[in-house]
Amino acid sequence: LPALAEAGMDAAPVKKALASVQAKFDKFHHESDDYKKAQIARELRLETMIEARVAVDAAEAECPAHIWPLATYKELLFLDANQDANGNTV
């Protein structure tokens, strides 16, 4: 979120997504019935996290790379292509 603020971007979609993930985690941790817990875990993984990823991916796509604090998909996939013989990023 600080990177979005630094870039002057609207962080509301990401904040909403994070709140949704947190609410589902809280629901999971407070549920005592194992079957219901499994249902919540499924929703968290297959629905809530996917929705959150859409918001974060959109933010990452718009945020300037020099501000975004995490490695991009390209950097992760081609990590070895971005390093010299000593492992330093080039």
Side-chain angles (χ1 to χ4, degrees):
L1 294 175
L4 300 181
E6 184 179 339
M9 296 173 59
D10 180 16
V14 175
K15 286 181 182 180
K16 181 180 177 186
L18 292 174
S20 180
V21 170
Q22 185 63 56
K24 195 62 78 167
F25 269 123
D26 291 346
K27 186 176 179 181
F28 175 84
H29 287 296
H30 290 99
E31 180 57 60
S32 59
D33 180 87
D34 287 341
Y35 181 74
K36 289 180 183 177
K37 218 171 186 174
Q39 288 177 313
I40 295 167
R42 181 211 159 277
E43 291 170 7
L44 178 62
R45 171 62 182 93
L46 298 177
E47 297 170 20
T48 310
M49 291 297 289
I50 289 173
E51 292 168 6
R53 183 170 175 182
V54 169
V56 174
D57 285 351
E60 179 184 359
E62 293 180 32
C63 188
H66 70 280
I67 296 174
W68 191 254
L70 303 172
T72 64
Y73 289 125
K74 182 179 179 183
E75 291 167 339
L76 291 172
L77 290 173
F78 300 105
L79 187 61
D80 59 341
N82 297 324
Q83 295 179 341
D84 63 17
N86 297 316
N88 299 313
T89 302
V90 292

